[in-house]
Amino acid sequence: MVGSVMVDWLIDKEFASNRNMALSVGQALLDSHRIDPVVGDDHVFKDEYCLYKVGPLGQVEIDNIQSIRLKPQDASDDLDEGEPSWFKGLAKRRAGPTPLKTAHTPPPLVR
């Protein structure tokens, strides 16, 4: 995924209210190895044409979601299909009265 596209997506999906906040979210994802730079070893998330890929912890989240999809969902499982739990954590920490949109389409991944 491209850094600037991810920033746009975070704002569009209301995980961030502005570009600076989206940069902070992107940096947190980079710091936690949920995303990693495709080229180089730059550990600063950038709002520009920089490529990022799913990191090791992000892949664990994806694998967990895929295993959940294979099992019948029970009433106690509130994980939206296709929504990584780290996004749910972001939603819980969001400030403001606007409700979180439930349909999330992540930006394209570069692998």
Side-chain angles (χ1 to χ4, degrees):
M1 69 192 99
V2 175
S4 58
V5 173
M6 187 170 174
V7 166
D8 293 338
W9 183 84
L10 287 166
I11 294 168
D12 181 57
K13 298 303 178 186
E14 299 179 359
F15 287 110
S17 60
N18 57 52
R19 297 192 89 73
N20 283 335
M21 185 182 287
L23 278 169
S24 295
V25 172
Q27 186 63 48
L29 295 172
L30 189 61
D31 290 344
S32 66
H33 297 287
R34 285 180 167 84
I35 61 172
D36 284 325
V38 171
V39 177
D41 214 12
D42 192 2
H43 293 287
V44 176
F45 184 80
K46 296 180 181 174
D47 180 9
E48 55 189 56
Y49 194 84
C50 290
L51 296 176
Y52 298 93
K53 62 183 176 181
V54 175
L57 292 179
Q59 187 60 51
V60 168
E61 295 287 346
I62 291 169
D63 292 342
N64 287 341
I65 289 170
Q66 289 172 344
S67 69
I68 289 169
R69 286 184 186 158
L70 298 176
K71 299 181 216 170
Q73 297 239 337
D74 61 25
S76 65
D77 187 6
D78 66 345
L79 184 65
D80 291 338
E81 190 172 327
E83 184 177 68
S85 62
W86 51 270
F87 270 133
K88 289 189 83 58
L90 287 174
K92 289 178 184 173
R93 289 188 286 270
R94 278 185 56 235
T98 307
L100 180 65
K101 295 177 185 176
T102 56
H104 298 294
T105 306
L109 298 177
V110 175
R111 292 187 187 215

